[in-house]
Amino acid sequence: MHNVANIIRDLNVDVSWQRAFYEDLHTHPELSFQEERTAARIAEKLTEFDCEVTTGIGGNGIVAIFRNGEGPTALMRADFDALPVEETTGVPFASTATGTTEEGLVTKLMHACGHDMHTTALLGACAFIDAARSSWSGTFIALFQPSEENGMGAMAMVNDGLANHIPRPDVAFAQHVGPGRAGEIMSMPGPALAAADSIDIVIHGKSSHGSMPHLSVDPTFVAAMIVVRLQGIVGREIPPSEFAVVTVGTLASGNTNNTIPAKARLVLNCRTYNDEIKKNLYEAIERVVQAECQASGCPAPADITYFSHAPLTDNSPEVYERVRPVFDDVFGAYSVDGTPWTASEDFSQIPRHFDTPYLFWMVGATPAAQWEKAVAEDRVLEDIPSNHMGNFLPDYKPTVKASTEAAVAAVLTYLAN
Amino acid sequence: MHNVANIIRDLNVDVSWQRAFYEDLHTHPELSFQEERTAARIAEKLTEFDCEVTTGIGGNGIVAIFRNGEGPTALMRADFDALPVEETTGVPFASTATGTTEEGLVTKLMHACGHDMHTTALLGACAFIDAARSSWSGTFIALFQPSEENGMGAMAMVNDGLANHIPRPDVAFAQHVGPGRAGEIMSMPGPALAAADSIDIVIHGKSSHGSMPHLSVDPTFVAAMIVVRLQGIVGREIPPSEFAVVTVGTLASGNTNNTIPAKARLVLNCRTYNDEIKKNLYEAIERVVQAECQASGCPAPADITYFSHAPLTDNSPEVYERVRPVFDDVFGAYSVDGTPWTASEDFSQIPRHFDTPYLFWMVGATPAAQWEKAVAEDRVLEDIPSNHMGNFLPDYKPTVKASTEAAVAAVLTYLAN
Amino acid sequence: MHNVANIIRDLNVDVSWQRAFYEDLHTHPELSFQEERTAARIAEKLTEFDCEVTTGIGGNGIVAIFRNGEGPTALMRADFDALPVEETTGVPFASTATGTTEEGLVTKLMHACGHDMHTTALLGACAFIDAARSSWSGTFIALFQPSEENGMGAMAMVNDGLANHIPRPDVAFAQHVGPGRAGEIMSMPGPALAAADSIDIVIHGKSSHGSMPHLSVDPTFVAAMIVVRLQGIVGREIPPSEFAVVTVGTLASGNTNNTIPAKARLVLNCRTYNDEIKKNLYEAIERVVQAECQASGCPAPADITYFSHAPLTDNSPEVYERVRPVFDDVFGAYSVDGTPWTASEDFSQIPRHFDTPYLFWMVGATPAAQWEKAVAEDRVLEDIPSNHMGNFLPDYKPTVKASTEAAVAAVLTYLAN
Amino acid sequence: MHNVANIIRDLNVDVSWQRAFYEDLHTHPELSFQEERTAARIAEKLTEFDCEVTTGIGGNGIVAIFRNGEGPTALMRADFDALPVEETTGVPFASTATGTTEEGLVTKLMHACGHDMHTTALLGACAFIDAARSSWSGTFIALFQPSEENGMGAMAMVNDGLANHIPRPDVAFAQHVGPGRAGEIMSMPGPALAAADSIDIVIHGKSSHGSMPHLSVDPTFVAAMIVVRLQGIVGREIPPSEFAVVTVGTLASGNTNNTIPAKARLVLNCRTYNDEIKKNLYEAIERVVQAECQASGCPAPADITYFSHAPLTDNSPEVYERVRPVFDDVFGAYSVDGTPWTASEDFSQIPRHFDTPYLFWMVGATPAAQWEKAVAEDRVLEDIPSNHMGNFLPDYKPTVKASTEAAVAAVLTYLAN
């Protein structure tokens, strides 16, 4: 069996195009389910490789199948949508793009979660793996998933017949950039990311002119009370040793200065590591929401809709035990133990559909000097830009190299001759 | 001197076009500062009368001057913008229009405040007054004001040189439809509408991914606390015998399910009948807003901007004493004593600029049977649609007749030979 | 008919004992239903007059009947209980007394509402009226009522057979000291004081150790949410032109540092001038309280008990029209028009029981210079100590003289020959 | 070296008096710093043993020194104060006692934390150890600590010269009963109980009559806002993976129905496992408290006083490694691994003062059948009475036996020949 680290070391592939490709994606972020341009750029790049490409799966989803004789099938996934965040990095290729949300809101856009890097890295891995055909056999699937941010893209691809377009993978991989020394590969068995659900809540009040509050049932007041009272759930109802997060991502009520609106809308995002906590949390949220509506005499109960379900990302110990030594080989001191992130991902919906074991790892993206200074001063939380912030920008060189090679390494762990 | 009631009775003017004109405006509502179509329709109608028309004053403002020899100058104003309210009346000419707010939000639109009726009535009054030139002398100014809903249109016309376009009026009038027996003219001396200001508040938090609230300063939570705590001002700080209203017209924070936003925005609307109460109220609001920002450790104080100032609408007792007997003459039992509304208007900015005394009256718009039933059952507040509600619709026939004739009556009180 | 002002002027009665009596009461305040010492002092003083005294009516209530031949019957009432307020006046006769509330709480006590002054004045009036028997005929009843502060004393006397102890009065009077130029008598027809009710609310939570909030239903959090949400009722549900006050007089939850208690208790006090507003207010309060209990998952609904009902104090226009000219005669420029106070009293329960018309007036108690300065600087609210404050102390001389003479004047308006 | 399990098995000591002693203590609970009767009962019992007793250390603290020749010194501590909790167990020896808190509040009392059991067990251990003198040598110190509930008793004994009354112990022990299968001994190295501090907060408002809220600064409203806003700290500011508890143990504001008080008082209890989290938590609490005072315009900042400091109870791994095998020997399957409790104790102040390593363990007190049913149904949190609840009552027989023998076992681990 070939040594994966040696294969990577010995490959002589020019991936210098990655920088221009990455910066182009970064300059042109697109919202979930609207990633037409990005998908086109990916598909265009894939024409340079010896693979079968299917586009338009579950919206803008793309799969590229690299067949190379008998052997196992390994899938690596990258996501490619962006966020309604205003970029503040100040780099020359910073985004000034705007987009329109589903709700009709015009907003600035940014690749504030690093999906541009994930996609660039997976395309680089395609180049390497395509060039290394003599060293491996089996099937490599590069899967480019849209709409990760709204938690719907993975299921959209599954529901749009993904299984008709690719063979069942024997193993699946995904990675995510984030705070950490740039180029560090952080992996672990078991839970890596939290389970999450989003909850859309519409509060039914009664509109009136702002000067006549007594004719209204003010949904803005109800919504504010709910936001305030939700804080009591984590602090009062969840065992202090357990993990639970309730975040209000959107609170929208009214759009004039002098009309009390008829409705208010809240969008919550909840995270847990445990099904019982999750059940209790959602019961408490529904209890609080409906009781606050009653307290104001709302004419109808709130509409509560769960969406964007992200399951627990729960790494297979077996896959971890095979891949980790290869990471250690390839990355040396830059292969480290990860700790669970509180964030969530819908990646695992794909291997879950195929009953395939999987590994998800994190890639540090913070310039090393900045990271070390923050660690030394115990100011990581305060000083290091994190995903979804307007100043989050991976340190390009070490991050693209590590994330490209990590994808190659994980895939070849299973496919190398 | 002619008897005004007789002039009106004896006039033989066909204003049957009012219905189609009204329904057309109703079907095509336009937001403040975007009333191009409405202004064009008004200007087009004015070409049928013997008057000098100036358009485009302070945006879409229009004045029509009817000169008729020596004599005093009387001004009557109508407003013509609409609201971001979804119509639920179900009438054939109901609005399905949408518009885009200044903030970029796409929204349904409706003439939910009856400005379409005001405009139709004033144009009808133009027809009557133009046809009755033998009965009066002096100058009649019909002023069509845009952007009343954001409280900016009157000052926009003033600041755009209104005084260069019209002679100084000796008296000014305006009217507003609302809940009440259709066709009833409600007038009073002294305060008729409250003073009001709007306050735009931007809260500076710190964004982060929804799973990492500890990296954020959550502006949604701060905004909710402010909404909740503002309630304590009216109940705890304003003397219980005094009048004050604080309404949150807009609360907007975030637009995703999983990002804690960097900023939240509140728009308040406040009403008072008394300058000292107003001063104390605004001091309390600023105190609460900034303290709540401090409580969450916001990186900067909130930005607080006052806008849309509506002064007290304070009817001249002298004008009232001249016009009221004429109303009694013309409307009989339908001329009644009004009581102050808690709402506000920017109309008085215009006579204030010219130091002109003025009278503002209300016109009942509720179908008589519906009104009487609600009064009998003591369910006016519960059952009668009010301005800014999606089901507010004047009872056309009695309302248009009364509001047209009231305009004629008030103007001729001053101009009749 | 004698001129009342002349009678008062011509009387030569030594009431210099009033100061020592007043200071003694002031030094020895007693809580509602515990006024044994005060009642004993009153009864002792009454022995000096020619009257029939009955004690122990409705607890510590006392009536003294001064019979003087044929004629109408006039009743004047004074109250004599004190408050759990800590005195901060610093005067030599300031109270350092403590008492134990019904709930078992040991607290500092103070005559912070001026009942010591009311009682001293009524005893002084007894002295005058007793000495002036030649000038009047009929029956004078001096009624000393306990337990006004908890709103229960008047009904306690009525229910304990007051009607068996006194003849039906033809007119009834009461007075109250408060902010205003010392010695000024403020009277008005119609509503003088608000209707009020107190509401005792017990919230049922579930106790646990403070380190295990998830095992509890935290009643302190529920109580706090209720206090916060009650603020929304006045500001959002009561028409802005109407009067309503909701005050939380007591919030008591827990008494350790590390146990979440099983129950919390709130005592509210609500005031209105209008029965429909009152009904809506109480419905809203019950709605809010029970919904907040539901929001936290309380094991049982809150117990809500109304108590201490104070009816509207609604002065008889007929009595006012007889007494006001006499006040004007006696007090000259110090007899002025009053405006309604937001406070409440249970006095009117007594005349209500006998279907007797009544007059209630206010007596200014603020040193004149302090009052005039505050008025001139528009700082009455900020600078003038008000009833129930620890620094409230009537300006003795002008206040005792005016309140004594006002009692005499009102009674003699009906009884003078 | 003797086998400790054998010593215990072979001892023939009659401790049947324990039941009556325990029930007597249970029937007569006393508050912290008021434990005179309990201390007298302990001292009386100690006269039956061959030991030197010193009483009155740090209030009601007692030490009994059992000297037995050369050898190490082992200290075992029991606490003996009770709580202001109303007992609901319904047992014949249930408490009906009342007491008066430091604040003057009269309250029902209960041994709701099981200190009566701790004391009974330690006295039983004294009997065993005294009877087993032939099997051990060295010094055994039985320390009976008052005032654990307010977190002040251990430091009170230390500050009152404990070191002058006992030799420095080489090892120290304590135990606590709680939920768990009765008789189970739960031990662990490292953190066993959280660090905790209590915070007394006095809010300075401005008093007024309840009908005049605008003359007040309502401290009850401020206190409620603080309780509500504190909830946002754990949910928004503490990393979701970290442990922090903020509980409001007391909220006291006002004691009448119609006076807005001048002050409100909050007592918080906060727990953490980590110094940095603790620092951030207290900063956030102070920030919230003072900002809420500012938001209401309080005349002065809140007074914030920290008290009742409980350090982390952090078991010595060395002591654990020696004692745990002995527990396994003595208790078999009833010696199990513990997990940290979120509660706190001041026990460790004593060994900390002597720089002595220590072990603290928990003793299950729930009837076995009840425990097993709750575990099977996953309803431990819902169904098992926990410390500080009015229905918490150890299952006497297995609990007293296990806690007595655990004390003997731990001490003899160090002292047995």
Side-chain angles (χ1 to χ4, degrees), chain B residues 173-244:
Chain B
F173 303 109
Q175 62 186 346
H176 212 297
V177 295
R181 191 165 47 142
E184 207 159 67
I185 303 296
M186 298 169 266
S187 61
M188 80 221 68
L193 298 170
D197 292 282
S198 292
I199 312 179
D200 187 287
I201 299 171
V202 176
I203 297 152
H204 299 279
K206 188 178 162 202
S207 180
S208 84
H209 191 272
S211 66
M212 291 177 276
H214 53 296
L215 302 187
S216 78
V217 175
D218 186 348
T220 310
F221 181 54
V222 178
M225 289 301 302
I226 290 171
V227 171
V228 169
R229 209 182 206 295
L230 287 176
Q231 308 302 321
I233 297 176
V234 171
R236 297 284 87 190
E237 301 199 33
I238 302 298
S241 315
E242 296 283 349
F243 171 94

Side-chain angles (χ1 to χ4, degrees), chain C residues 174-226:
Chain C
Q175 62 186 346
H176 211 297
V177 295
R181 192 164 45 143
E184 207 159 66
I185 302 296
M186 298 168 267
S187 62
M188 79 220 70
L193 298 170
D197 292 283
S198 292
I199 311 179
D200 188 287
I201 299 171
V202 175
I203 296 151
H204 299 280
K206 188 177 163 205
S207 180
S208 84
H209 191 273
S211 66
M212 291 177 277
H214 55 296
L215 301 186
S216 77
V217 175
D218 185 350
T220 310
F221 180 54
V222 178
M225 288 303 301
I226 289 171

Side-chain angles (χ1 to χ4, degrees), chain B residues 210-214 216 218 221-222 225 228-229 232 235-240 260 284 287-288 291-297, chain D residues 210-216 218 221-222 225 228-229 232 235-240 260 284 287-288 291-297:
Chain B
S211 66
M212 291 177 276
H214 53 296
S216 78
D218 186 348
F221 181 54
V222 178
M225 289 301 302
V228 169
R229 209 182 206 295
R236 297 284 87 190
E237 301 199 33
I238 302 298
I260 298 171
R287 175 167 29 82
V288 163
E292 287 299 331
C293 289
Q294 283 177 41
S296 276
Chain D
S211 66
M212 291 177 277
H214 54 296
L215 302 186
S216 78
D218 186 347
F221 180 54
V222 178
M225 289 302 302
V228 169
R229 210 183 205 295
R236 299 282 87 190
E237 301 199 31
I238 303 298
I260 298 171
R287 176 168 28 83
V288 162
E292 287 299 330
C293 290
Q294 284 178 41
S296 276

Side-chain angles (χ1 to χ4, degrees), chain A residues 211 213-214 216 218 221-222 225 228-229 232 235-240 260 287-288 291-292 294-297, chain C residues 211 213-214 216 218 221-222 225 228-229 232 235-240 260 287-288 291-292 294-297:
Chain A
S211 65
H214 54 294
S216 77
D218 185 349
F221 181 53
V222 178
M225 289 301 301
V228 169
R229 210 182 205 297
R236 298 283 86 190
E237 302 200 32
I238 302 299
I260 297 172
R287 175 167 30 80
V288 162
E292 287 299 329
Q294 283 178 42
S296 277
Chain C
S211 66
H214 55 296
S216 77
D218 185 350
F221 180 54
V222 178
M225 288 303 301
V228 169
R229 210 183 205 297
R236 299 283 84 190
E237 302 199 32
I238 302 299
I260 297 171
R287 177 169 25 84
V288 162
E292 288 299 330
Q294 284 179 41
S296 276

Side-chain angles (χ1 to χ4, degrees), chain A residues 217-350:
Chain A
V217 175
D218 185 349
T220 310
F221 181 53
V222 178
M225 289 301 301
I226 290 171
V227 171
V228 169
R229 210 182 205 297
L230 287 175
Q231 307 303 321
I233 298 176
V234 171
R236 298 283 86 190
E237 302 200 32
I238 302 299
S241 314
E242 295 283 351
F243 171 95
V245 179
V246 180
T247 283
V248 179
T250 299
L251 196 178
S253 190
N255 47 56
T256 71
N257 64 323
N258 61 4
T259 302
I260 297 172
K263 294 182 186 180
R265 181 164 170 255
L266 289 164
V267 183
L268 311 189
N269 190 257
C270 305
R271 286 157 208 277
T272 52
Y273 288 147
N274 173 317
D275 276 347
E276 189 178 344
I277 295 296
K278 177 169 146 178
K279 177 170 158 286
N280 292 345
L281 182 65
Y282 294 173
E283 281 175 8
I285 288 171
E286 295 197 15
R287 175 167 30 80
V288 162
V289 167
Q290 300 300 12
E292 287 299 329
C293 290
Q294 283 178 42
S296 277
C298 285
D303 300 329
I304 301 179
T305 312
Y306 291 78
F307 70 101
S308 187
H309 311 283
L312 197 60
T313 301
D314 199 7
N315 283 333
S316 157
E318 290 72 30
V319 177
Y320 172 75
E321 273 166 41
R322 282 190 65 179
V323 174
R324 177 62 190 265
V326 176
F327 281 173
D328 290 349
D329 242 30
V330 173
F331 297 103
Y334 276 71
S335 171
V336 301
D337 292 340
T339 50
W341 281 3
T342 58
S344 304
E345 258 273 13
D346 68 350
F347 154 64
S348 72
Q349 300 283 21
I350 293 168

